[in-house]
Amino acid sequence: MTAWFWARPPAVRDDLFAELRATDGPVFCPREGTAGFYALTRHTDVVEAARNPGVFSSEPTAVRLDELPAGTEKYGGSMESMDDPRHARLRRIISGAFTPRVLARFEADIQERVTHLVGGLADRRESDFVETVSTPLTLGTVFSMMGIPLAASEELMPAVNIVLAISDSGNLDFQGPEEREAFIKEKFAVMHGFVTGLAGARRERPGEDLISALVNANVDGEFLTDLELGRFFTLLIAAGVETTRHALSHGIHLLTQNLFAWETNSSSPWTAH
């Protein structure tokens, strides 16, 4: 159903969203093989749910309709799948690592990375934007933020790609669900093991990176555990890489599809070539 919806033309999707917004109260969405779920489409309902975690709990999987594969539960369950007070505790610790000084350094790094990637397109008549810009920009930025050496990308990328697209692993050749679950669990373990190993080194010798800031962030005497750090890394990869590279890729696609309107917009300071 999800694939069907996103394959529809934008106008069709917009009409469906408008229909949902006009509905009075939560919308029940049947789902084959499950009890279904309710979609909150009105601001008032969303606010009410957010303010009552005892009734509308985020646990165990707030942002997934499906459970994680068996054996991987401990690797999931980051902030987006927690209720207060655990959510508030993690948020305090993590937000303490994002100081203005740290953010300014990240901004400068992103600007330099974008300049380098876009400059590399000058001599190309055509290229795959996802491969040459959106993926290296987002992954490179997150790896740089976390202080992960570029050389480690070859070790991490197979695991990162599988964790980012768990449903796609169904296309791989497995003997059965047990082998698939073991394969995915192994990839989660690779990611967590690498980051927690790096965290141990940063506790002894902090650097100018996010892992150093996170593992040494002291909020009322509390620190992130290795498991919490690994979960945060998984969340950062999913939220910071997957969403951003899709937004960049779809954005450039829409610009190219609507180039005439963009060029003739009198309020635009840009000239398209």
Side-chain angles (χ1 to χ4, degrees):
M1 183 66 177
T2 301
W4 172 89
F5 175 79
W6 291 112
R8 301 298 91 195
V12 174
R13 300 201 305 265
D14 289 344
D15 288 344
L16 288 172
F17 279 128
E19 184 179 339
L20 286 173
R21 288 194 300 272
T23 302
D24 186 18
V27 178
F28 178 70
C29 303
R31 194 161 181 260
E32 187 176 354
T34 74
F37 62 95
Y38 283 91
L40 304 184
T41 61
R42 299 164 62 88
H43 179 265
T44 301
D45 294 332
V46 174
V47 171
E48 177 68 17
R51 289 177 175 173
N52 292 278
V55 177
F56 302 95
S57 177
S58 295
E59 301 184 37
T61 54
V63 295
R64 292 180 58 89
L65 294 178
D66 301 309
E67 298 289 343
L68 289 170
T72 64
E73 297 87 351
K74 75 171 185 176
Y75 298 117
S78 190
M79 290 171 53
E80 83 280 14
S81 297
M82 285 186 182
D83 298 320
D84 286 338
R86 292 198 302 148
H87 180 276
R89 170 186 171 273
L90 275 183
R91 186 171 180 174
R92 284 196 306 270
I93 297 173
I94 290 171
S95 63
F98 286 86
T99 64
R101 176 170 169 268
V102 170
L103 293 178
R105 189 170 65 252
F106 293 160
E107 181 180 4
D109 177 75
I110 293 170
Q111 289 177 339
E112 181 179 349
R113 194 177 304 278
V114 169
T115 300
H116 172 74
L117 290 171
V118 173
L121 299 178
D123 297 329
R124 297 172 180 258
R125 293 191 61 85
E126 62 180 39
S127 65
D128 185 323
F129 185 81
V130 176
E131 180 182 336
T132 58
V133 179
S134 60
T135 296
L137 173 60
T138 51
L139 273 174
T141 297
V142 169
F143 278 19
S144 176
M145 287 173 60
M146 297 292 284
I148 297 174
L150 188 60
S153 61
E154 292 186 6
E155 175 186 349
L156 280 178
M157 279 311 302
V160 167
N161 286 332
I162 291 297
V163 170
L164 285 178
I166 287 177
S167 59
D168 291 341
S169 66
N171 297 326
L172 300 177
D173 186 18
F174 295 114
Q175 295 297 318
E178 294 82 8
E179 184 178 351
R180 175 179 178 271
E181 290 167 359
F183 177 78
I184 295 173
K185 182 179 178 180
E186 176 192 349
K187 301 308 177 186
F188 268 108
V190 167
M191 287 178 57
H192 280 233
F194 183 90
V195 172
T196 55
L198 198 57
R202 295 295 192 270
R203 287 190 181 97
E204 298 297 324
R205 299 182 62 183
E208 296 292 320
D209 55 67
L210 187 54
I211 286 185
S212 296
L214 287 171
V215 298
N216 292 291
N218 182 339
V219 178
D220 298 329
E222 292 187 292
F223 296 86
L224 283 180
T225 66
D226 282 350
L227 181 57
E228 289 169 342
L229 179 64
R231 286 173 170 173
F232 177 73
F233 177 57
T234 303
L235 174 63
L236 189 62
I237 286 290
V241 173
E242 197 70 343
T243 57
T244 309
R245 72 176 175 183
H246 283 316
L248 288 170
S249 303
H250 285 292
I252 201 69
H253 175 70
L254 288 172
L255 284 174
T256 56
Q257 292 295 312
N258 299 277
L259 188 57
F260 177 76
W262 181 43
E263 287 180 314
T264 57
N265 182 357
S266 60
S267 65
S268 174
W270 305 101
T271 299
H273 297 286

